[in-house]
Amino acid sequence: VSYVRMGDMYRASGDGAGARESYGKSLLIMERLAAGEPERADYQRDLSVSYNKMGDMYGALGDGAGAREAYEKSLSIRERLAAGEPERADHQVDLVISLYKTATSEKPADRRALERGLAILLFLQQTGRLSPDRVPLIEMFRTVLK
């Protein structure tokens, strides 16, 4: 967590090298923890967050291929978590975020992934499981799909 926060700080200040180093250290730790206890959903989720942070950093540095690879790793983990516990709205929202990041990391954006993410959000909203702070994601997806 400390390395992620340091990476966020470096990234916000424009220090790409510092961000890459801090996120990389976090990722190594999370990979070890997740591999050591693969049944722990919290370790798997934390690893997916680390991959997303790396993807964001690569994207900001103009490395589209690196960003896409990191986002796809995060998406793979989140697919498993969402399928394993479909009743958990937090896993579904994490999946939606990974679908968005992966879909928009290529040009043109992957419409099927965006439509799938929007469908998940609408289902969560219809069933009363989408928290109010996540409702703006619906408009974000609709805007990109226009």
Side-chain angles (χ1 to χ4, degrees):
V1 172
S2 295
Y3 283 127
V4 168
R5 289 189 180 151
M6 287 175 55
D8 291 346
M9 180 192 65
Y10 285 129
R11 185 167 172 234
S13 69
D15 183 354
R20 182 175 33 239
E21 181 180 345
S22 291
Y23 289 147
K25 287 178 179 179
S26 170
L27 184 58
L28 288 173
I29 292 168
M30 291 315 310
E31 286 175 334
R32 257 191 337 264
L33 289 171
E37 295 188 61
E39 72 287 348
R40 293 221 19 203
D42 58 332
Y43 286 174
Q44 298 301 316
R45 184 186 184 280
D46 289 347
L47 178 58
S48 76
V49 169
S50 290
Y51 282 130
N52 270 343
K53 294 283 187 179
M54 290 296 285
D56 294 346
M57 190 248 344
Y58 283 132
L61 295 174
D63 181 355
R68 177 121 179 115
E69 181 181 343
Y71 291 147
E72 286 174 349
K73 288 178 180 179
S74 178
L75 177 60
S76 176
I77 293 167
R78 289 176 172 193
E79 290 272 14
R80 285 193 312 272
L81 291 173
E85 295 184 85
E87 71 285 351
R88 287 195 52 182
D90 58 333
H91 286 329
Q92 301 303 316
V93 171
D94 283 349
L95 173 58
V96 164
I97 290 168
S98 281
L99 286 166
Y100 183 85
K101 287 178 178 280
T102 305
T104 58
S105 70
E106 57 186 42
K107 302 293 182 219
D110 180 349
R111 287 191 65 81
R112 280 191 7 225
L114 291 168
E115 289 167 354
R116 181 176 170 217
L118 179 58
I120 293 168
L121 287 169
L122 293 173
F123 177 76
L124 290 172
Q125 185 180 45
Q126 290 167 354
T127 57
R129 297 185 307 141
L130 186 64
S131 65
D133 64 315
R134 296 303 192 166
V135 171
L137 291 172
I138 294 171
E139 188 56 35
M140 184 176 77
F141 272 76
R142 286 183 171 151
T143 299
V144 175
L145 282 166
K146 286 183 181 177

